[in-house]
Structure formats: structure tokens, C-alpha cells
Amino acid sequence: MLGKLIEKVTGKRLQFQAISNNFVHPNQLGELKQWSTTNTGTFLTHLVQAGYVKNLQTSMLAFDITQFFSLLNHQLLPLILDKAGFDPRISLFFSDYLVGKKTQYLWNNFLFSFFNVDIGIEQGSALSSVLLALYLSSIFHIFEKRAKNLKIPVSFISFVNDSLFVSQEKSLEKSNSHLFCSYNVISSLLKQFGLIIKHRKTKIFHFSRLHRVFNSPPLDLNILGGSILHPKDT
């Protein structure tokens, strides 16, 4: 119990300092103080309504990062903490805190031998949400710069390990092109950070004010490891 209390206090302090240093990306929501599911809904609703005012159709590409908690790189995390402006002693603490762990599994009467688990973090830990937010912040800051350099006009929002790309255009074909390019960039970045997109969960949505059924062009992600996405009209 004492260990969990210390983790909770440490997690809140880390979150406060990371946000104070403007390291956590403003579009990262969920499991952070005052950045909840309600904020996510408000943000998305605002985007769709703002698009309607400009006579634009809003397209969203939703994707999920697979095995996020178990694939977090312990060697990279201290470097991210340094980049976030934390005291070097904090980075040193986490480089020691997360390594050298072992675990074993019991299945009925069969007990597996101990094996090393020097990657990932405990999903239920009080520290997991802020560490994951810091880990993803680096990726999204890099993505934002690359998208700007490539002139890809998309917005994005992240909710823990689920993310959305948002494109607003009059042409759905043009939106699909922007979303394809964004998906390509983020897939490459995540691989460099040791993370993988769960392609089978990737979905696309179009929001339109047309009071009739319209033909939505599919988005072909086969070349990126995904599938051909057929959107539902909303």
C-alpha cells in the first residue's frame, strides 16, 4: 500500500511538471488531470461543427497502438524524461526502477520458470498514464513537424493509446489522400519507437450534412500493412 501511495504522489508530480514545461502535447487527452473523455468529445464535436460552417466534410481515421503498455522501451524513456526537462536524478531513478524485473506464469498446475521483462510498464500502475503520455508526446511533436514540412493539413487527437487523424475538405478523395499520408508517417515513427499499429482495428468515418446516402470512396491501406477501409456515413 505504501508503494502504491508513493507511485501516485510521484505520478502527479511528474504530470504537473511535464505540463508546466509544455512537453505534453495539448491534443493528448485521457488519464491526465483535467484532460478527460469529455474534453475529447467536445474537441471532436467542435471540429465537425466548424467544418459544417465552412461547408467542409470531416473525415476521421482512428487507429490503435497494439501492446502499448508492454512494448514501452526502458532505454528510450530516460532520454525522453531528459528532453522533458526533468532533473537528471529522475531519469536515473526510472532507468533503474524499470529494469531487472522478472516474472513467471502459473497455468493450472503448470508453473513456468522466471524470465526477464525489461520492457513495458504495469498497466494498472499510478505511474503508467503519465509515463505513456510522455512517451507519446515525443512521437506527436515529431509527427507535427513532419506533417507541417510535408504540407499535410490534418489535425490529430490522442486518447491514451487510441488516436485520430482528422481531415476537412470538400472532396472526400482529397481527405483520403491526407489521411493516407498521415498514416504512413505515424506508422514509420511508431516503428522507430518500438511500437506497432493494430491495423485490423483501424477505421475511417466521414461526417457530412448531406441528407442522403452518398458514395464514400474506400481508403486503401494495403501498402502500409493495413486493409481497404470502407467507411460508414455519419
Side-chain angles (χ1 to χ4, degrees):
M1 185 178 69
L2 181 59
K4 289 184 177 180
L5 286 173
I6 293 173
E7 281 190 344
K8 197 165 186 177
V9 171
T10 305
K12 287 189 175 182
R13 182 61 189 174
L14 289 174
Q15 181 178 317
F16 173 80
Q17 188 170 341
I19 294 174
S20 299
N21 293 345
N22 294 320
F23 186 78
V24 176
H25 198 284
N27 288 8
Q28 281 182 264
L29 308 174
E31 292 198 22
L32 293 174
K33 192 173 182 179
Q34 298 180 345
W35 293 358
S36 64
T37 310
T38 304
N39 298 90
T40 309
T42 303
F43 179 79
L44 294 177
T45 303
H46 169 73
L47 281 179
V48 174
Q49 294 291 346
Y52 288 164
V53 172
K54 298 176 182 178
N55 198 28
L56 300 174
Q57 298 180 95
T58 302
S59 300
M60 299 184 184
L61 184 67
F63 62 93
D64 176 69
I65 302 173
T66 184
Q67 300 291 325
F68 190 28
F69 289 89
S70 60
L71 291 177
L72 189 143
N73 189 316
H74 292 169
Q75 294 180 339
L76 183 58
L77 184 60
L79 300 178
I80 294 174
L81 293 172
D82 287 337
K83 190 72 174 177
F86 288 103
D87 189 285
R89 289 173 294 181
I90 294 178
S91 303
L92 184 63
F93 166 77
F94 277 103
S95 65
D96 180 67
Y97 171 74
L98 293 171
V99 299
K101 288 188 174 182
K102 294 184 178 182
T103 191
Q104 65 178 164
Y105 290 105
L106 173 65
W107 182 266
N108 293 329
N109 294 324
F110 184 79
L111 182 65
F112 288 81
S113 58
F114 278 97
F115 58 92
N116 294 327
V117 282
D118 280 338
I119 60 171
I121 57 175
E122 185 182 348
Q123 189 165 349
S125 169
L127 290 171
S128 61
S129 59
V130 64
L131 293 178
L132 293 175
L134 292 170
Y135 202 83
L136 274 181
S137 284
S138 304
I139 299 173
F140 285 125
H141 281 300
I142 296 172
F143 168 81
E144 197 170 52
K145 290 180 180 179
R146 291 192 181 179
K148 186 177 181 180
N149 292 335
L150 294 171
K151 297 181 180 180
I152 306 174
V154 295
S155 304
F156 75 87
I157 186 171
S158 170
F159 189 83
V160 192
N161 61 320
D162 299 310
S163 300
L164 273 173
F165 286 132
V166 183
S167 177
Q168 293 182 306
E169 297 285 348
K170 291 185 178 180
S171 165
L172 293 180
E173 288 80 2
K174 199 169 185 179
S175 286
N176 275 359
S177 176
H178 296 327
L179 295 175
F180 177 89
C181 293
S182 301
Y183 197 74
N184 187 18
V185 173
I186 198 67
S187 297
S188 176
L189 273 175
L190 288 171
K191 285 181 181 178
Q192 293 176 39
F193 277 74
L195 301 173
I196 304 170
I197 292 178
K198 191 179 292 185
H199 294 294
R200 63 183 177 82
K201 282 194 172 184
T202 302
K203 292 181 174 61
I204 189 170
F205 304 89
H206 296 307
F207 294 82
S208 173
R209 298 187 79 176
L210 296 175
H211 296 284
R212 59 179 173 79
V213 176
F214 63 99
N215 293 322
S216 306
L219 177 59
D220 189 352
L221 298 176
N222 272 318
I223 195 173
L224 303 179
S227 58
I228 299 178
L229 304 180
H230 297 278
K232 293 183 178 181
D233 305 332
T234 304

